[in-house]
Amino acid sequence: MSTPKTTMAGPVTVPEGDPNPAAGCRQCLGVAVTRANARSVGDYSKATDTNVVLRTHLREDQGAE
């Protein structure tokens, strides 16, 4: 019986900086405002979560890479 591999195949790349909202997109703007509000009260976990939401939206709905 072999032991299953439990390590990752390669390094994980973490994007640096905040994604910028797409010009004219209300959803992007709403997420960016939520991120700013979260940071203003010290909720950095929520701010990070909004970056994930914004990057996903930009990739899937705005066609960004």
Side-chain angles (χ1 to χ4, degrees):
M1 187 165 151
S2 66
T3 304
K5 186 176 178 180
T6 58
T7 58
M8 297 184 335
V12 175
T13 304
V14 178
E16 292 188 30
D18 293 335
N20 294 318
C25 177
R26 293 182 74 176
Q27 185 174 347
C28 285
L29 180 60
V31 174
V33 168
T34 300
R35 177 178 62 199
N37 290 339
R39 282 211 179 110
S40 73
V41 296
D43 189 349
Y44 299 107
S45 177
K46 186 171 186 175
T48 298
D49 291 345
T50 60
N51 280 341
V52 172
V53 169
L54 186 53
R55 280 191 178 93
T56 301
H57 168 69
L58 289 169
R59 183 179 60 249
E60 293 178 357
D61 298 332
Q62 299 291 336
E65 297 274 327

